């Protein structure tokens, strides 16, 4: 019985370590910059906009 319990703990630890490594290396959050409408259009005209993602604001 003790051996089965040890094996389960061993596999659980391996799983948790693997999950932790995946979460660390999968964290690809790039810094974002919020612009006002005027700043956005000025930056767009200057050709400095490389990526645009629109997301609705959450209202609770």
């Amino acid at each position: 019985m003790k051996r089965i319990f040890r094996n389960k703990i061993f596999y659980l630890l391996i799983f948790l370590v693997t999950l932790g490594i995946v979460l660390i290396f999968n964290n690809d959050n790039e810094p974002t910059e919020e612009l006002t409408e005027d700043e956005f259009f000025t930056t767009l005209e200057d050709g400095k906009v490389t990526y645009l993602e629109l997301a609705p604001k959450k209202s609770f």
Side-chain angles (χ1 to χ4, degrees), residues 19-35:
L19 181 64
I21 290 171
V22 168
L23 289 176
I24 287 172
F25 287 112
N26 199 21
N27 189 8
D28 59 352
N29 293 337
E30 295 180 11
T32 59
E33 182 179 351
E34 293 186 18
L35 301 173

Side-chain angles (χ1 to χ4, degrees), residues 2-40:
K2 285 185 178 184
R3 185 176 177 113
I4 294 172
F5 186 68
R6 272 193 230 151
N7 284 338
K8 287 182 181 181
I9 290 179
F10 174 74
Y11 287 117
L12 179 65
L13 286 175
I14 294 294
F15 174 75
L16 291 176
V17 167
T18 305
L19 181 64
I21 290 171
V22 168
L23 289 176
I24 287 172
F25 287 112
N26 199 21
N27 189 8
D28 59 352
N29 293 337
E30 295 180 11
T32 59
E33 182 179 351
E34 293 186 18
L35 301 173
T36 64
E37 188 176 334
D38 292 334
E39 292 172 334
F40 171 71

